[in-house]
Amino acid sequence: MKYSVDKKEQYVVFTPHEEKLDSALSPVLKSELLTVHAEGYRNMILDMSEVKYADSSGLSALLVGNRAFNEDGGIFVISNPQEHVMKLIKISMLDKVLNLADNHEEAAEAIFIHEIKNTTDEEE
């Protein structure tokens, strides 16, 4: 699986450079997402701008990432989902579970807001 990882101060941007997220690549994506999480990062943006197709195993990988980053108070945001992927997410009603953003700026803003909310909650 081809991908890039851009580590920022508050989050990591993980970008798969693949057109299909299917049963052949999903186990690799799950493993890579869990590896980044294990490195101590709390927040991730998964940039799906190059992924044109996903199947149920691809959605499973997204859910694994979402669960891992949410477990310790972080946030997992999917940015730039393409039309087919977005349809599958909506049909599966995962748009109610996953954090979705139209672009990188919205995703970064969601992380910023999440961090402020967490800081406020901890102070109370």
Side-chain angles (χ1 to χ4, degrees):
M1 176 178 189
K2 293 177 281 197
Y3 63 89
S4 60
V5 178
D6 185 12
K7 298 176 180 177
K8 309 278 188 189
E9 187 176 330
Q10 293 284 325
Y11 57 88
V12 173
V13 180
F14 189 98
T15 307
H17 299 295
E18 302 284 350
E19 287 194 4
K20 292 184 176 182
L21 184 53
D22 54 17
S23 59
L25 294 178
S26 294
V28 179
L29 178 59
K30 287 178 188 179
S31 174
E32 295 301 329
L33 295 177
L34 293 174
T35 298
V36 171
H37 180 257
E39 290 175 358
Y41 291 95
R42 289 174 21 107
N43 305 310
M44 176 179 278
I45 296 173
L46 180 62
D47 182 351
M48 297 281 284
S49 58
E50 296 180 38
V51 179
K52 294 180 171 63
Y53 172 83
D55 63 10
S56 60
S57 62
L59 290 184
S60 172
L62 301 181
L63 289 170
V64 166
N66 189 58
R67 184 179 69 238
F69 283 88
N70 288 333
E71 277 178 351
D72 63 351
I75 186 172
F76 181 79
V77 182
I78 298 166
S79 73
N80 304 309
Q82 298 301 304
E83 185 179 355
H84 177 273
V85 176
M86 195 62 202
K87 281 182 182 176
L88 186 61
I89 288 171
K90 286 184 176 180
I91 287 169
S92 305
M93 296 180 63
L94 293 177
D95 55 327
K96 310 286 188 248
V97 177
L98 299 169
N99 296 295
L100 302 164
D102 290 334
N103 54 53
H104 182 82
E105 291 76 23
E106 281 183 23
E109 187 175 320
I111 289 171
F112 181 69
I113 291 169
H114 180 80
E115 287 295 308
I116 290 173
K117 184 179 179 300
N118 272 0
T119 303
T120 305
D121 289 348
E122 288 171 5
E123 289 173 356
E124 290 178 355

